[in-house]
Amino acid sequence: LITIALDAMGGDHAPKEIVKGALVALNEDEDLNITLVGSEVVIREELRKLKVTDLPSRLQIAHASESIGMWESPSTAYKQKKNSSIHVGLQLVKSGTAGAFVSAGNTGAVMMASTLILGRINGIERPAIATVLPTLSGGHVLMLDMGATMDAKPTHLLQFGVMGHYYSQLILGVERPRVGLLNVGEEEEKGNHLVQAATELLQAAPIQFVGNVEGKVVLFDVADVVVCDGFVGNSLLKFGEGLAEYFLRTLRNEVKRSFSAMIGAFLMRPAIKRFKDKVDYEELGGAPLLGVNGVVFISHGSSGEKAIKNCVHNAFESVKADMIAKIGGAVK
Amino acid sequence: LITIALDAMGGDHAPKEIVKGALVALNEDEDLNITLVGSEVVIREELRKLKVTDLPSRLQIAHASESIGMWESPSTAYKQKKNSSIHVGLQLVKSGTAGAFVSAGNTGAVMMASTLILGRINGIERPAIATVLPTLSGGHVLMLDMGATMDAKPTHLLQFGVMGHYYSQLILGVERPRVGLLNVGEEEEKGNHLVQAATELLQAAPIQFVGNVEGKVVLFDVADVVVCDGFVGNSLLKFGEGLAEYFLRTLRNEVKRSFSAMIGAFLMRPAIKRFKDKVDYEELGGAPLLGVNGVVFISHGSSGEKAIKNCVHNAFESVKADMIAKIGGAVK
């Protein structure tokens, strides 16, 4: 059995969707064991609502008397809430009781507590959040860092590339991942000092480095892994989120202005549903926090049952694949 | 009369769309004079095709024996093609013969030649490309820098904020522009060292600084000007371009799978057309290269007649508003 510590208090729909996700995940993986971390009273009440009166055999509760809100300052919360579900869950990983920690809670708090409690993998100087995005072909691209390291140095980008290579290979099943560097042009002389220095390091690394990748082709299957610093990655992801919302709302307003367009939109509904499923983050199973000395997954704050289930599954696979040891072996 | 030097050789659809755009622009502004810069033979041939046998009274040709291709290296082209349409056009601005230079050609070449030929405005250390994006309300937001300065320092971001303030006020007609700083969160302590240091400078500047703006709300009318470094801005813009293309293609594939969805898409066509017009860069009239000592506008490489006409119009307005002197007065 592989045990995943799951933060029952984290996320906009906690504890309900978390607990539901846990139950679905347990049904899908026979070798999975889940420890729900959070207020025991709240979790038991939630299970009762779901008509689960006795704890299933592969489900336990680890009580945590505090929880960290989505908008609390990570550093203050870290200092003042040592009994939060995030702390308790990470301690389970540190002690070896659990193989991984999964949370849809306060991303900053999970990152800070993970780094401070678990430490970093030997040879990795900074952690990175890796996000899986869908590509045009129906495949995926792994982007990192999406917001863990704000001021990256060239060696950090190199390490992100190596970690991305292993995650892509071990968890996403890409045999020989093509690792690219996000840049403003394809030519080698393009970009800022950071990416220019990182290019040299990545070229010398024992991975398949495919050079610069422009933002406009990231989703078009030109690389399996795309490396960038956390400020750029996070800005990109959020701008993309905003742009999708902008398109959706503007188009909806236009459709409302005409009756035939409304009929048209109605006829298109199944296609739009399939489209939404394709670009749905819930399918993508959360983002690993790579570089810390233990498997940690961060799920979207608005995660529902399905997102949680997929995230737990990816954490499970990461433990099974011995990902941390493999990354550690590669960067030593 | 205000004279605009227009690069007839720059862009994917040069010279045809450039010449057409010039003729339309002349019809719309009685105080506008245009000097088409490029091969005189080619330009005259293009005019002949458009059934313009004699040059209109407010149109001249400035012959340039060379042109710089879209994919040529800016530094090599600058050194080796001193008679390019970009050089000749910028020399017209430098000598005072023209008030502004407009080009849809090689962006890097225009930036480099502009900086070297015109120099910078006193007090501005680095140039910035400012792009106008549509917002949900139907308004606009000005983002800068979108790719001129790859390694920005905090003082550069401050200067971008001041230049953005003036462009927004003088050309976009925003009385009291709200200037924001692109960051990964709203809270002041967020972000990398660059934006943290820039925040202090922007707070002390004589503009209306509204603090951090997250990528996901840039298009939702929270600020009139959003400042970022050129690497981030360019990455964002290109990622957004790619995302729009990805959405479009994925949705189109889904629609093809069902007959009723195809009928639906057909019924939605006018709404989709209005939507496209709203998010169309052609409407937005190009991007000023702010900070160089002269009015320079860069139009999208794929500019058609309308984009050129709108870009010429904005350059005309910038000259009329005495923008360079006003920015210069503000940063002295």
Side-chain angles (χ1 to χ4, degrees), chain A residues 101-154:
Chain A
F101 178 61
V102 171
S103 176
N106 185 317
T107 302
V110 175
M111 286 194 299
M112 176 171 270
S114 298
T115 311
L116 293 171
I117 292 172
L118 301 176
R120 294 187 303 271
I121 295 175
N122 253 333
I124 299 289
E125 295 162 276
R126 291 281 185 285
I129 293 183
T131 298
V132 176
L133 301 172
T135 60
L136 191 68
S137 71
H140 297 113
V141 58
L142 185 75
M143 272 194 96
L144 74 169
D145 170 34
M146 301 312 264
T149 297
M150 284 295 133
D151 286 282
K153 295 196 168 65

Side-chain angles (χ1 to χ4, degrees), chain A residues 163-324:
Chain A
M163 294 195 292
H165 164 90
Y166 278 96
Y167 189 78
S168 175
Q169 199 172 59
L170 297 172
I171 308 306
L172 304 176
V174 182
E175 208 172 305
R176 233 184 125 227
R178 297 159 299 165
V179 179
L181 181 63
L182 186 81
N183 205 340
V184 296
E186 282 177 25
E187 308 85 350
E188 229 175 79
E189 74 273 14
K190 288 266 182 174
N192 55 18
H193 296 325
L194 173 64
V195 299
Q196 281 162 3
T199 296
E200 288 182 32
L201 299 177
L202 284 160
Q203 279 167 341
I207 55 176
Q208 189 188 183
F209 179 58
V210 295
N212 291 334
V213 172
E214 274 195 273
K216 65 181 164 193
V217 294
V218 165
L219 304 177
F220 291 79
D221 304 285
V222 298
D224 303 296
V225 177
V226 174
V227 171
C228 59
D229 85 63
F231 187 87
V232 172
N234 196 280
S235 298
L236 231 72
L237 197 66
K238 285 185 175 155
F239 185 70
E241 233 179 276
L243 193 66
E245 182 71 20
Y246 168 81
F247 282 147
L248 207 70
R249 287 212 224 166
T250 307
L251 189 56
R252 202 184 289 152
N253 288 343
E254 288 306 327
V255 166
K256 274 190 199 145
R257 292 176 51 191
S258 127
F259 183 68
S260 70
M262 278 167 68
I263 303 282
F266 181 79
L267 290 170
M268 275 178 73
R269 277 206 311 189
I272 288 173
K273 172 79 173 58
R274 283 195 305 269
F275 166 70
K276 275 192 180 155
D277 286 349
K278 272 198 182 158
V279 301
D280 187 2
Y281 76 88
E282 295 230 331
E283 296 291 346
L284 301 171
L289 179 64
L290 298 175
V292 296
N293 198 16
V295 175
V296 175
F297 271 75
I298 297 170
S299 199
H300 200 288
S302 58
S303 289
E305 169 192 329
K306 190 165 65 174
I308 294 295
K309 185 259 292 176
N310 287 333
C311 193
V312 166
H313 176 77
N314 281 346
F316 173 83
E317 293 294 336
S318 300
V319 177
K320 206 166 145 188
D322 211 6
M323 183 179 70
I324 302 297

Side-chain angles (χ1 to χ4, degrees), chain A residues 3-11 14-16 18-19 22 33-44 46-47 55 58-68 81-95 97-105 110 117 308 312:
Chain A
T3 298
I4 308 295
L6 175 60
D7 181 0
M9 315 309 281
K16 189 178 176 186
I18 315 290
V19 172
N33 183 69
I34 292 180
T35 303
L36 287 169
V37 187
S39 157
E40 180 151 12
V41 176
V42 170
I43 295 170
R44 286 205 181 267
E46 201 57 51
L47 284 165
L55 279 184
R58 290 179 280 115
L59 186 71
Q60 308 85 41
I61 297 172
H63 179 66
S65 58
E66 296 170 300
S67 64
I68 297 176
K81 292 188 169 173
K82 296 285 184 190
N83 294 310
S84 75
S85 55
I86 292 172
H87 276 70
V88 172
L90 287 165
Q91 290 293 353
L92 291 175
V93 176
K94 170 131 181 126
S95 67
T97 310
F101 178 61
V102 171
S103 176
V110 175
I117 292 172
I308 294 295
V312 166

Side-chain angles (χ1 to χ4, degrees), chain A residues 71 73-74 133-137 143 150-151 182-185 187 189-196 214-220 229-232 234-251 253-255 257-258 260-268 270-272 274-275 278-279, chain B residues 71 73-74 133-137 143 150-151 182-185 187 189-196 214-220 229-232 234-251 253-255 257-258 260-268 270-272 274-275 278-279:
Chain A
W71 301 108
S73 149
L133 301 172
T135 60
L136 191 68
S137 71
M143 272 194 96
M150 284 295 133
D151 286 282
L182 186 81
N183 205 340
V184 296
E187 308 85 350
E189 74 273 14
K190 288 266 182 174
N192 55 18
H193 296 325
L194 173 64
V195 299
Q196 281 162 3
E214 274 195 273
K216 65 181 164 193
V217 294
V218 165
L219 304 177
F220 291 79
D229 85 63
F231 187 87
V232 172
N234 196 280
S235 298
L236 231 72
L237 197 66
K238 285 185 175 155
F239 185 70
E241 233 179 276
L243 193 66
E245 182 71 20
Y246 168 81
F247 282 147
L248 207 70
R249 287 212 224 166
T250 307
L251 189 56
N253 288 343
E254 288 306 327
V255 166
R257 292 176 51 191
S258 127
S260 70
M262 278 167 68
I263 303 282
F266 181 79
L267 290 170
M268 275 178 73
I272 288 173
R274 283 195 305 269
F275 166 70
K278 272 198 182 158
V279 301
Chain B
W71 301 108
S73 150
L133 301 172
T135 61
L136 191 67
S137 71
M143 272 194 97
M150 284 296 133
D151 286 283
L182 185 81
N183 204 338
V184 296
E187 308 85 351
E189 74 272 16
K190 289 267 182 173
N192 55 17
H193 295 325
L194 173 64
V195 298
Q196 281 163 3
E214 275 195 89
K216 65 182 165 194
V217 295
V218 165
L219 304 177
F220 291 80
D229 84 62
F231 187 87
V232 172
N234 195 280
S235 299
L236 230 72
L237 198 66
K238 285 185 175 154
F239 185 70
E241 232 179 278
L243 193 66
E245 182 70 21
Y246 168 82
F247 282 148
L248 207 70
R249 287 214 225 166
T250 307
L251 189 56
N253 288 342
E254 288 306 326
V255 166
R257 291 177 50 191
S258 127
S260 70
M262 278 167 69
I263 303 282
F266 181 78
L267 290 170
M268 275 178 73
I272 288 173
R274 281 196 307 269
F275 166 72
K278 272 199 182 159
V279 301

